[in-house]
Amino acid sequence: MFQRFIRAIKSMFGGLISSMEDPKLILEQNIRDLNDQIPQMNENIATVKANLLMLQKEMNRNEKAIQDLTAKVKSAIQADRDDIAEGYALQLEKAKENYAHTKDQLAFAEKAYEKAIKVKKVFMREKDRKIQEAKEALRASERSEWQAKIADTLEQFEVGGIDATHDEMINRINEQSAKNEARMEIALDSIDTETMEIEANAEKLRAKSLVEQFKMEMGEKSGSINIDEEEPAKEKDSSKTVGNKEKSSS
């Protein structure tokens, strides 16, 4: 009876397991998962920003409290009311402690917000790249399916000549899909923001160098054209001079 139960479970979930192992379905799900992460990331960044704003307001309140308590202590001393001044002095000391504690929290919140923004930029860049890779792999899979259909048709006429090519193409597609899946998992597990920033800066420097190279090439071309244009003009001037001399001699 237990074995019949196991067979029933396998028959129920066999189709689900096979669909989960399909690289095409996995890539399509990965694209959806990447897009679904954006709202959650924005919500997390908003939470970090809200905490930052709250600490900034608390810092302002602490600064104002310190100023008010300092003025009250001085006023009480000037009025020869040391007893009142002592009470304000204790409150001032507590306010300064709160100010120092809030200042540390604010510095940490600012760093956390900056880091969150950097992570989002890197994630968006990686997301676009991974989605593009996934789409290319899916198109390759569609081409493979089409090739498989053509191969099945041709096998009716020349089975022996098609088997080797067909199997080779299917193996290539399967290997490429596995590589893309592994690269996507590795990239999502570890995001190096510093490396991405260095690459972005290097790309900017390379673009600037290309523009400067174009400017130099354009300058050299324009210079050569001016020289060519000046030579005919000089020839015309010389011909005119010779003509004038001949007229004068005659």
Side-chain angles (χ1 to χ4, degrees):
M1 184 174 181
F2 179 74
Q3 293 179 351
R4 287 198 300 270
F5 175 75
I6 295 298
R7 287 195 295 269
I9 293 297
K10 288 183 179 180
S11 63
M12 290 174 60
F13 294 98
L16 178 61
I17 294 173
S18 62
S19 64
M20 291 176 63
E21 295 176 351
D22 187 349
K24 182 177 179 180
L25 296 178
I26 292 174
L27 287 177
E28 291 175 348
Q29 183 61 44
N30 286 341
I31 292 175
R32 290 191 293 269
D33 292 342
L34 287 171
N35 289 324
D36 290 343
Q37 289 184 49
I38 297 176
Q40 183 63 39
M41 177 173 289
N42 290 334
E43 184 178 349
N44 292 337
I45 292 176
T47 302
V48 175
K49 182 64 178 294
N51 183 54
L52 176 62
L53 295 175
M54 181 185 68
L55 290 172
Q56 289 175 346
K57 291 179 180 179
E58 187 174 350
M59 279 285 292
N60 294 332
R61 287 195 299 269
N62 289 334
E63 288 178 354
K64 188 176 183 301
I66 290 173
Q67 293 174 358
D68 293 341
L69 290 170
T70 300
K72 289 179 180 180
V73 171
K74 292 180 179 179
S75 297
I77 292 173
Q78 291 174 357
D80 293 332
R81 294 297 307 272
D82 291 350
D83 55 335
I84 297 176
E86 291 173 357
Y88 286 140
L90 291 175
Q91 295 180 28
L92 178 60
E93 184 180 20
K94 184 63 176 177
K96 288 181 178 180
E97 291 177 358
N98 293 336
Y99 177 83
H101 181 66
T102 304
K103 185 177 181 180
D104 293 338
Q105 288 183 327
L106 180 60
F108 178 80
E110 290 174 346
K111 291 180 181 179
Y113 180 70
E114 292 176 359
K115 181 68 174 179
I117 295 299
K118 289 182 179 180
V119 169
K120 181 182 178 181
K121 290 181 180 179
V122 172
F123 173 81
M124 295 299 292
R125 190 159 48 240
E126 283 294 302
K127 176 187 74 69
D128 294 338
R129 186 170 69 87
K130 292 301 177 184
I131 288 178
Q132 184 62 29
E133 288 180 353
K135 288 181 178 179
E136 291 176 359
L138 291 173
R139 286 193 291 268
S141 176
E142 292 176 357
R143 289 194 298 270
S144 175
E145 292 176 359
W146 176 80
Q147 290 172 351
K149 291 179 181 179
I150 297 299
D152 291 340
T153 303
L154 295 178
E155 281 177 351
Q156 299 176 6
F157 305 98
E158 190 179 355
V159 176
I162 296 299
D163 283 342
T165 303
H166 175 74
D167 293 337
E168 181 182 359
M169 292 301 103
I170 294 297
N171 290 332
R172 287 183 181 180
I173 293 298
N174 291 335
E175 290 176 0
Q176 187 63 33
S177 298
K179 290 179 180 178
N180 288 335
E181 180 183 357
R183 289 175 60 192
M184 179 174 292
E185 291 178 354
I186 293 172
L188 291 177
D189 289 339
S190 60
I191 300 177
D192 189 353
T193 58
E194 294 182 358
T195 301
M196 296 302 299
E197 289 178 356
I198 291 173
E199 291 178 356
N201 292 334
E203 191 71 15
K204 291 180 180 179
L205 292 175
R206 180 171 174 271
K208 184 176 181 181
S209 176
L210 290 173
V211 172
E212 293 297 332
Q213 183 178 352
F214 270 105
K215 288 181 179 180
M216 293 176 62
E217 292 176 356
M218 291 171 67
E220 292 175 359
K221 290 181 180 179
S222 62
S224 63
I225 292 173
N226 290 335
I227 293 173
D228 295 337
E229 291 177 353
E230 288 176 358
E231 289 181 354
K234 289 181 180 179
E235 292 177 359
K236 290 182 180 180
D237 292 341
S238 62
S239 63
K240 288 182 180 179
T241 304
V242 172
N244 292 333
K245 287 182 179 180
E246 291 177 353
K247 289 181 181 179
S248 60
S249 62
S250 62

